[in-house]
Amino acid sequence: MALFTFWHGDDYPAPKRKNHISVKRELDVLTLARLMNLTEQDILKRFREGNEAWVLRLKGMPVSFGWLGRQKARIGELSKEIDIPKGNAYLWNFRTLEPYRGRGYYVQ
């Protein structure tokens, strides 16, 4: 498991944009359940806990997805739960679908 942080003002190079890519918050429970191989109840629970789902699409097709938390974070590998300070966020459970791995989409 890797943890990463950066701050406003850090010297972090902007990623190169690729054509036909969109990254948007996804609210459709059924779409997320199918994409993430979870139940609709799992998705609704994550929403109730204050998490946001984000999906990267290439020409409208899902490529990568993950969750953004602003309130609490559960780090399963460490068996820890933390409160996320106001103004911060925790990115978790991001994955790239098998056919798109190794092409640099996740870093978009």
Side-chain angles (χ1 to χ4, degrees), residues 29-89:
V29 174
L30 185 56
T31 296
L32 291 169
R34 288 180 178 161
L35 183 61
M36 298 179 178
N37 198 25
L38 296 170
T39 67
E40 292 177 56
Q41 292 76 18
D42 291 333
I43 301 296
L44 289 169
K45 180 178 184 241
R46 290 178 179 195
F47 282 158
R48 281 192 306 272
E49 291 172 344
N51 295 294
E52 301 172 8
W54 288 82
V55 177
L56 181 146
R57 295 176 188 271
L58 173 64
K59 297 180 182 178
M61 298 299 295
V63 170
S64 296
F65 57 85
W67 292 90
L68 180 143
R70 298 185 190 272
Q71 298 170 5
K72 289 190 179 290
R74 285 186 201 89
I75 305 171
E77 295 90 346
L78 301 175
S79 299
K80 298 285 182 192
E81 183 173 299
I82 59 172
D83 292 322
I84 301 169
K86 188 174 177 110
N88 291 279

Side-chain angles (χ1 to χ4, degrees), residues 13-28:
K16 295 177 184 175
R17 294 286 176 198
K18 296 182 181 181
N19 292 332
H20 309 293
I21 288 181
S22 66
V23 179
K24 296 182 182 173
R25 187 173 175 189
E26 180 62 63
L27 301 173
D28 186 75

Side-chain angles (χ1 to χ4, degrees), residues 4-17:
F4 178 79
T5 185
F6 66 95
W7 306 94
H8 292 288
D10 277 357
D11 186 22
Y12 183 76
K16 295 177 184 175
R17 294 286 176 198

